[in-house]
Amino acid sequence: MFRKTLRPQFSRHKAFTLVELLVVIAIIGILIGMLLPAVQQVREAARRVTCSNNLRQIGLAMMNYESSYQQFPPGGIWIGPDKLPRGNRAGRGSGWAWSAFILPFMEQNNIYDVLDFPARLSDQPNRNLVASIIPSAVCPSASNQPQHFKIGTDSDAFGMTDPGITATNYVACAGAFFAGAYYDRPLERKNGIYAEDSTNGFGDISDGASNTILAGEAIYYGVGQSRGVPGAFFWDPRWFGSSRHNAGGRADAPEALFRVGRSRINPPSFAGNAEKRNAFGSHHPGGATFGLADGSVHFLRETIGNNETTYNQYIGGQTLGTFQRLTARNDGLVIAEDL
Amino acid sequence: MTRNRIAKRTISNRSVVALACLAAVTILAGCGNPNLADVRGVVTLDGKPLPDAFVKFIPVTEGAASYGKTEADGSYRMKFTDDEYGAFIGSNHVSIGTGDVKADNSGSIPEVVPNVYNTRTTLLAEVTKGRNTFDFELKSDAGKVEKVDMD
């Protein structure tokens, strides 16, 4: 009886009202809005794990090299007349990076065995080999960077135009200060595990292996090309070495192989070039991944303490912030922050 | 009948408002680093606005640096990341300079600001919670000008 009277009433309101529809759409919208970022975050988390795995491979390869030769691979070596003053390096050949020396410890013997180290990177057979793609050299979050870094032009003595040197997102740590990788700087300035011509082993890490960074992440700022190209960034990281320009005495680019602790992690895009070429950075939101000398891999937040002490301030007695302490191997300072 | 319809409509309107509030809360939640505070101001050199200068706030103790770049009128606003405004709350060393290297290593961009404002800075700013305004009146005869910071 009751039902019968109700039915005709309902039939008059068969359709949804506009407001009801809007509410439904709003609810669906909110649900999608909540779900989509979550899915993206999960995907980013997966990429970050892959990236940590890459850095662990690199860290272990460096440590295996140390076990074999009682020193970590040299940060970078140069061929040709050695120890010329900076800016006067005519005839000094291109530099091989630490990354070329650890290839046998990353199951890349097929490349390593054919590389001709006394020759330049731009000479054959090196020219073809340094374009080889190394699977664990690239962070999966850096998907929009070029695969190769081209150097100069064909008329340059050290030009590496086609396809160039294979790209990477991993750089060695050259201590706490700018220019800490340059071979001609005082020893206490070169306080990282790596520098040009470095010979450090575990015995030189007086801060302890678990308090010192071996390698970390760096990103591409340019277009994978080094000169005469708009947007080119000279110091973008590359795997086999930093071949040089043959122009104006501005020879090598150590920052393409090393980064230091004096710049904070992930400086914003409008920071100065002098800053960006020295800074560790990543495409992961909030920080970057680092491999420590004890084989552990840590994701360090970009808010980690860093008072950007300069070398002159340091020898003048100023202390280092947490991040700079991690990048230096022999500062003797306690790391209080939890990594 | 009519009363019934009115009641229904008010309920739906109310639910729309509630949903809008919920959406707003969801969007706003999780935004912003509580250690950062908004910092802005104007940089002048000898009374004239200083364009294209890098402004840096480096925390004295805890936290990491924020960056700013001055506009044509000398104004700047500090950013911690590309999409997060602010500088760390507390004492900050401030460094202001125009010097840089060109991205393709073809030379350098000259420094016009004396070193007492950048490589050997004496500027200090106390950043507090909320909105901060720091105007810097620099003098070009305050010290010597150093080359690009490689220190």
Side-chain angles (χ1 to χ4, degrees), chain B residues 67-125:
Chain B
Y67 294 73
K69 199 163 185 195
T70 56
E71 309 282 332
D73 60 352
S75 68
Y76 70 91
R77 190 176 174 193
M78 300 308 291
K79 272 185 161 184
F80 187 69
T81 59
D82 277 342
D83 37 34
E84 204 172 359
Y85 283 102
F88 262 77
I89 293 169
S91 254
N92 280 264
H93 291 294
V94 182
S95 141
I96 302 169
T98 56
D100 198 8
V101 289
K102 287 186 182 157
D104 61 355
N105 203 27
S106 59
S108 52
I109 300 159
E111 180 64 78
V112 297
V113 180
N115 61 2
V116 290
Y117 302 123
N118 40 63
T119 51
R120 283 156 221 277
T121 186
T122 52
L123 298 172
L124 210 63

Side-chain angles (χ1 to χ4, degrees), chain B residues 39-88:
Chain B
V39 174
R40 54 182 94 191
V42 176
V43 180
T44 54
L45 182 65
D46 300 329
K48 277 176 274 175
L50 180 67
D52 295 322
F54 299 104
V55 184
K56 229 172 130 178
F57 276 59
I58 306 163
V60 175
T61 50
E62 299 276 290
S66 283
Y67 294 73
K69 199 163 185 195
T70 56
E71 309 282 332
D73 60 352
S75 68
Y76 70 91
R77 190 176 174 193
M78 300 308 291
K79 272 185 161 184
F80 187 69
T81 59
D82 277 342
D83 37 34
E84 204 172 359
Y85 283 102
F88 262 77

Side-chain angles (χ1 to χ4, degrees), chain A residues 151-174:
Chain A
I151 289 170
T153 62
D154 278 325
S155 54
D156 285 342
F158 300 92
M160 298 279 290
T161 46
D162 197 31
I165 304 179
T166 193
T168 185
N169 292 107
Y170 304 112
V171 283
C173 176

Side-chain angles (χ1 to χ4, degrees), chain A residues 234-282:
Chain A
F234 187 65
W235 306 274
D236 275 334
R238 43 213 110 140
W239 185 264
F240 287 89
S242 74
S243 186
R244 48 165 260 178
H245 287 327
N246 197 18
R250 275 179 273 279
D252 55 330
E255 289 88 353
L257 313 176
F258 311 94
R259 297 295 156 98
V260 296
R262 215 203 99 186
S263 284
R264 66 161 252 226
I265 303 167
N266 292 343
S269 54
F270 56 88
N273 296 320
E275 199 80 50
K276 288 196 279 193
R277 67 177 179 179
N278 277 296
F280 288 100
S282 81

Side-chain angles (χ1 to χ4, degrees), chain B residues 16-38:
Chain B
V16 170
V17 171
L19 280 170
C21 287
L22 185 74
V25 168
T26 332
I27 291 163
L28 288 176
C31 274
N33 183 334
N35 298 321
L36 299 176
D38 193 53

Side-chain angles (χ1 to χ4, degrees), chain A residues 102-123:
Chain A
I102 60 169
L103 288 172
F105 301 92
M106 299 178 74
E107 300 191 323
Q108 299 289 343
N109 304 58
N110 47 348
I111 301 171
Y112 183 82
D113 291 345
V114 192
L115 283 178
D116 183 6
F117 283 96
R120 304 173 191 167
L121 271 80
S122 49
D123 294 335

Side-chain angles (χ1 to χ4, degrees), chain A residues 34-339:
Chain A
M34 284 158 76
L35 199 68
L36 264 187
V39 170
Q40 292 305 327
Q41 272 171 31
V42 169
R43 296 180 67 190
E44 168 53 31
R47 288 195 291 264
R48 208 166 65 200
V49 169
T50 311
C51 182
S52 330
N53 191 42
N54 290 348
L55 259 172
R56 192 182 297 275
Q57 295 296 328
I58 291 168
L60 291 179
M62 287 170 170
M63 290 162 77
N64 283 332
Y65 186 103
E66 210 274 350
S67 319
S68 303
Y69 301 107
Q70 280 69 55
Q71 67 160 75
F72 287 105
I77 61 158
W78 300 87
I79 62 157
D82 202 9
K83 306 294 183 205
L84 288 171
R86 287 192 78 75
N88 178 21
R89 289 186 167 184
R92 198 164 185 217
S94 52
W96 293 93
W98 55 270
S99 28
F101 300 108
I102 60 169
L103 288 172
F105 301 92
M106 299 178 74
E107 300 191 323
Q108 299 289 343
N109 304 58
N110 47 348
I111 301 171
Y112 183 82
D113 291 345
V114 192
L115 283 178
D116 183 6
F117 283 96
R120 304 173 191 167
L121 271 80
S122 49
D123 294 335
Q124 292 294 10
N126 299 335
R127 197 185 181 93
N128 288 348
L129 285 170
V130 297
S132 320
I133 301 294
I134 310 289
S136 28
V138 178
C139 166
S141 287
S143 52
N144 54 359
Q145 75 182 24
Q147 281 193 316
H148 293 98
F149 188 91
K150 301 170 171 54
I151 289 170
T153 62
D154 278 325
S155 54
D156 285 342
F158 300 92
M160 298 279 290
T161 46
D162 197 31
I165 304 179
T166 193
T168 185
N169 292 107
Y170 304 112
V171 283
C173 176
F177 309 114
F178 284 2
Y182 297 5
Y183 75 91
D184 55 355
R185 298 298 154 115
L187 208 61
E188 51 182 338
R189 184 176 193 132
K190 298 193 278 186
N191 63 356
I193 294 177
Y194 288 104
E196 290 179 331
D197 306 327
S198 61
T199 57
N200 295 319
F202 272 119
D204 299 293
I205 310 174
S206 54
D207 285 353
S210 57
N211 293 324
T212 309
I213 291 171
L214 267 181
E217 277 186 274
I219 62 168
Y220 262 62
Y221 289 108
V223 291
Q225 202 136 15
S226 76
R227 192 154 58 105
V229 177
F233 194 77
F234 187 65
W235 306 274
D236 275 334
R238 43 213 110 140
W239 185 264
F240 287 89
S242 74
S243 186
R244 48 165 260 178
H245 287 327
N246 197 18
R250 275 179 273 279
D252 55 330
E255 289 88 353
L257 313 176
F258 311 94
R259 297 295 156 98
V260 296
R262 215 203 99 186
S263 284
R264 66 161 252 226
I265 303 167
N266 292 343
S269 54
F270 56 88
N273 296 320
E275 199 80 50
K276 288 196 279 193
R277 67 177 179 179
N278 277 296
F280 288 100
S282 81
H283 290 285
H284 311 300
T289 319
F290 291 88
L292 270 57
D294 62 349
S296 65
V297 174
H298 292 269
F299 187 77
L300 300 184
R301 303 204 63 79
E302 59 204 13
T303 51
I304 189 169
N306 190 347
N307 55 2
E308 310 204 0
T309 304
T310 67
Y311 174 64
N312 283 332
Q313 288 169 338
Y314 178 66
I315 52 177
Q318 186 172 315
T319 188
L320 304 173
T322 308
F323 185 58
Q324 280 184 295
R325 293 178 189 198
L326 282 169
T327 54
R329 64 185 158 80
N330 57 2
D331 57 272
L333 296 164
V334 179
I335 287 154
E337 256 179 88
D338 217 9
L339 299 186

